[in-house]
């Protein structure tokens, strides 16, 4: 059982700068954020406000230019790529707008991939992959390739791949962006179910409807958090 006072994610005065042709662009400007175990947070804001940059740093795909990043109460902002990769593969699952499935692999093989990286035995991989396919209701598609699936089915596979290693954190970047409303609602219901089972979810979205599924909505503007509010639907936090 996690300490109720401990935070899964904490950022302190996080800043990110990009440099091109002697021009400095500020993507993040002093972001202070805490996310507790088991939260579901939505990050909203206009295009170019720093949402995806913040998600990439939290997901250890990028380093901040300044500031501190704590993951499981360990400061990791200056970790090497190898160190970040070790933390990432053991703790974080990703869901992207574009699915990012490998076309040459079957549904089963796409979902299995993180477990191969983690060096699980073939028996353990089979057990976990089949369990998550049953949970996501895609067992009948196990031998299909991504291009044989609808967008909604591909996102189910992507979510399956993200959760098969039982990560503590799911990072979702516009997870319904390429889906129609019916499939989008199904994906949000899946993320909600995973959260209710204890997985922390941080989601970047432009959709106010999708944000309503979250416990807390964080608004970014020009690389800064300008407001946060508790979702009124989440009675436990009021």
């Amino acid at each position: 059982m996690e300490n109720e006072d401990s935070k899964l994610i904490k950022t302190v005065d996080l800043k990110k700068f990009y440099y091109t042709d002697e021009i400095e662009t500020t993507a993040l400007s002093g972001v202070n954020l805490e996310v507790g175990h088991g939260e579901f947070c939505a990050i909203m804001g206009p295009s170019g406000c720093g949402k995806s940059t913040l998600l990439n740093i939290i997901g250890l795909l990028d380093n901040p230019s300044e500031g501190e990043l704590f993951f499981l109460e360990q400061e990791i902002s200056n970790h090497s790529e190898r160190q970040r990769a070790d933390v990432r593969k053991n703790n974080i699952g990703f869901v992207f707008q574009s699915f990012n499935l490998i076309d040459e692999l079957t549904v089963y093989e796409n979902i299995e991939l993180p477990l191969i990286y983690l060096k699980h035995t073939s028996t353990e991989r089979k057990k976990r992959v089949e369990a998550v396919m049953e949970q996501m209701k895609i067992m009948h598609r196990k031998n299909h390739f991504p291009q044989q699936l609808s967008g909604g089915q591909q996102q189910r596979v992507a979510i399956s791949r993200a959760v098969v290693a039982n990560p503590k954190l799911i990072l979702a970047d516009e997870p319904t962006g390429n889906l129609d409303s019916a499939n989008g609602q199904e994906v949000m219901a899946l993320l909600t179910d995973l959260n209710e089972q204890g997985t922390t979810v941080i989601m970047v979205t432009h959709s106010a409807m999708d944000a309503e599924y979250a416990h807390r909505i964080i608004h970014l503007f020009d690389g800064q958090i300008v407001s946060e509010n508790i979702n009124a639907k989440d009675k436990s936090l009021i």
Side-chain angles (χ1 to χ4, degrees):
M1 186 78 177
E2 303 286 357
N3 182 342
E4 289 186 5
D5 295 326
S6 69
K7 299 299 179 184
L8 179 63
I9 297 288
K10 180 180 178 181
T11 73
V12 180
D13 200 25
L14 210 64
K15 298 178 182 178
K16 183 65 179 180
F17 309 116
Y18 293 104
Y19 302 92
T20 55
D21 298 329
E22 300 181 359
I23 297 173
E24 178 182 294
T25 301
T26 301
L28 296 175
S29 180
V31 172
N32 295 290
L33 175 65
E34 294 186 353
V35 178
H37 296 274
E39 272 202 85
F40 189 157
C41 295
I43 301 175
M44 301 191 73
S47 296
C49 72
K51 301 186 301 297
S52 292
T53 299
L54 178 58
L55 206 69
N56 285 341
I57 291 175
I58 291 173
L60 309 181
L61 297 172
D62 198 3
N63 269 340
S65 303
E66 296 179 15
E68 296 175 299
L69 171 65
F70 294 84
F71 188 88
L72 291 171
E73 301 192 312
Q74 180 184 10
E75 211 289 310
I76 57 174
S77 60
N78 292 313
H79 273 25
S80 67
E81 169 52 34
R82 186 185 186 92
Q83 290 171 315
R84 293 203 312 272
D86 284 342
V87 176
R88 189 168 62 235
K89 71 183 182 182
N90 285 293
N91 295 286
I92 304 174
F94 295 87
V95 179
F96 301 97
Q97 176 177 346
S98 55
F99 317 133
N100 284 13
L101 300 175
I102 299 174
D103 289 340
E104 294 77 21
L105 299 182
T106 64
V107 165
Y108 183 100
E109 291 165 340
N110 267 282
I111 298 169
E112 181 187 34
L113 206 54
L115 301 179
I116 293 174
Y117 292 145
L118 289 169
K119 296 181 169 52
H120 286 284
T121 65
S122 58
T123 302
E124 177 67 13
R125 294 199 305 268
K126 184 174 187 293
K127 179 181 174 182
R128 289 202 189 194
V129 173
E130 290 185 350
V132 79
M133 285 194 298
E134 289 283 5
Q135 181 184 3
M136 298 291 173
K137 298 180 174 57
I138 52 172
M139 181 64 83
H140 62 298
R141 299 290 187 183
K142 64 182 291 185
N143 294 319
H144 287 77
F145 291 91
Q147 297 305 317
Q148 297 174 296
L149 307 178
S150 68
Q153 290 167 339
Q154 288 189 58
Q155 195 61 297
R156 282 177 176 268
V157 177
I159 293 172
S160 300
R161 181 185 58 190
V163 303
V164 72
N166 296 323
K168 292 180 173 63
L169 174 65
I170 293 290
L171 297 179
D173 195 352
E174 300 284 1
T176 67
N178 284 338
L179 303 176
D180 59 35
S181 59
N183 278 307
Q185 287 175 19
E186 282 193 15
V187 165
M188 291 311 304
L190 289 172
L191 290 175
T192 300
D193 287 344
L194 291 167
N195 175 248
E196 289 174 350
Q197 293 167 30
T199 306
T200 303
V201 179
I202 302 177
M203 173 183 67
V204 160
T205 183
H206 281 104
S207 167
M209 187 178 298
D210 287 356
E212 287 295 310
Y213 287 85
H215 304 151
R216 181 161 53 119
I217 304 173
I218 299 155
H219 296 272
L220 278 186
F221 187 77
D222 285 349
Q224 296 180 311
I225 293 177
V226 292
S227 67
E228 296 186 42
N229 57 282
I230 303 299
N231 190 337
K233 289 184 179 180
D234 188 15
K235 308 299 185 188
S236 67
L237 297 177
I238 296 178

